[in-house]
Amino acid sequence: FALVCFFAWVIMVIVQFALKQLTIKLPKYRLLWSRLYPFARLFVWATVIIYTITEIIDPHENLVLAVIGSIGIVLGLATQEPAKNMIAGLIIMITPPYRVGDMVTLSGHYGEVIQLDWSVTWLRTFDDNTVMVPNAEALKTAVSNANSGALDEMVVVTFNLPINTDHLKATALAKEATQCSPYTFLDKPITVNIATDYQYGEHLIQLTIKAYVMDIRLERKFASDINFRVLNGYVYDDFE
């Protein structure tokens, strides 16, 4: 058994060295080489275990059946969570709270649903991160869906202005800036709401713009464009 383990260790050292050399020679595929090592290690040690049990130990048939039964129980307990996620995935596909292409908030992550598997949901955030959320988590918590299958979605942009600002001019500027944005979906209404707030020891006018972007993937660009236009107008116009 010690000799078999020694040969397995030698093989793994050779494999690791070969993969490092491939990484140096072909750096374009370095991620592929690094992903191969865990599979090679799993294959080698699984072969060692199987060979040791069948050829060296050679246990009695009853012991083999007992071990197989124990492994079956362990696997059954270990696959409870994957089974729950698969059942949850089936429920999501039958009565979907979200679909591929929706902008949702799942487990504290906001992004676009790019793939819906049996057991997990894949999101892509605005930071270009890919987030894997187990489907069971999606059914246990509240799901916020920004567009519910539509290509457009509402975007909310808020401004805090001094209390002595001319609110009529500010409202007109906000609406005009939103209408002029190339990302605005003009088939749906643009709403500008005014409220008062108290922050940093002074009263403020809170200006909230609610408008629809033509494509969910342009959400951040749309909000940034509105901010740019309104702030430019606020600098060059006199509201006070």
Side-chain angles (χ1 to χ4, degrees):
F1 176 71
L3 190 61
V4 171
C5 290
F6 174 75
F7 279 119
W9 176 77
V10 171
I11 291 172
M12 290 311 307
V13 170
I14 295 173
V15 169
Q16 192 172 24
F17 177 77
L19 291 175
K20 285 184 178 179
Q21 294 302 311
L22 286 173
T23 301
I24 296 172
K25 298 293 183 181
L26 300 171
K28 182 179 179 181
Y29 302 102
R30 61 183 180 82
L31 294 179
L32 175 62
W33 310 135
S34 62
R35 291 168 187 164
L36 287 178
Y37 182 74
F39 290 100
R41 183 173 56 187
L42 178 64
F43 175 76
V44 169
W45 289 112
T47 303
V48 168
I49 293 172
I50 294 172
Y51 178 80
T52 302
I53 293 174
T54 57
E55 300 297 331
I56 300 177
I57 300 177
D58 192 18
H60 192 270
E61 182 180 349
N62 292 336
L63 180 59
V64 173
L65 294 176
V67 171
I68 292 174
S70 301
I71 293 174
I73 294 173
V74 171
L75 290 177
L77 294 173
T79 55
Q80 281 184 345
E81 285 299 320
K84 284 166 54 177
N85 289 326
M86 293 187 70
I87 293 172
L90 179 62
I91 295 173
I92 289 173
M93 291 178 184
I94 295 174
T95 56
Y98 52 82
R99 305 169 182 83
V100 174
D102 286 357
M103 297 296 294
V104 300
T105 302
L106 291 177
S107 298
H109 299 281
Y110 179 69
E112 179 187 359
V113 179
I114 58 173
Q115 187 173 338
L116 183 58
D117 291 334
W118 280 105
S119 57
V120 297
T121 297
W122 298 89
L123 301 180
R124 178 175 290 122
T125 66
F126 283 108
D127 296 329
D128 203 25
N129 294 326
T130 302
V131 181
M132 181 190 73
V133 181
N135 287 332
E137 290 294 322
L139 291 184
K140 286 196 298 185
T141 58
V143 178
S144 175
N145 194 328
N147 61 318
S148 298
L151 189 60
D152 59 272
E153 69 164 335
M154 176 181 283
V155 177
V156 179
V157 182
T158 303
F159 297 93
N160 289 320
L161 306 175
I163 193 64
N164 57 349
T165 299
D166 187 335
H167 61 280
L168 295 178
K169 286 185 178 180
T171 303
L173 172 64
K175 191 163 188 177
E176 181 182 355
T178 307
Q179 288 173 335
C180 292
S181 174
Y183 307 113
T184 306
F185 186 59
L186 296 175
D187 290 348
K188 291 190 175 181
I190 299 171
T191 305
V192 181
N193 296 328
I194 288 227
T196 56
D197 196 10
Y198 186 79
Q199 296 182 20
Y200 313 112
E202 62 177 340
H203 291 278
L204 301 172
I205 294 177
Q206 191 173 70
L207 197 71
T208 304
I209 302 172
K210 294 183 178 181
Y212 289 84
V213 64
M214 62 174 60
D215 192 306
I216 57 173
R217 295 181 178 178
L218 301 174
E219 176 186 329
R220 293 293 175 88
K221 289 185 177 181
F222 181 46
S224 177
D225 187 62
I226 291 177
N227 273 279
F228 180 79
R229 292 172 184 273
V230 171
L231 292 176
N232 271 354
Y234 183 78
V235 169
Y236 292 115
D237 288 345
D238 183 17
F239 292 147
E240 301 180 359

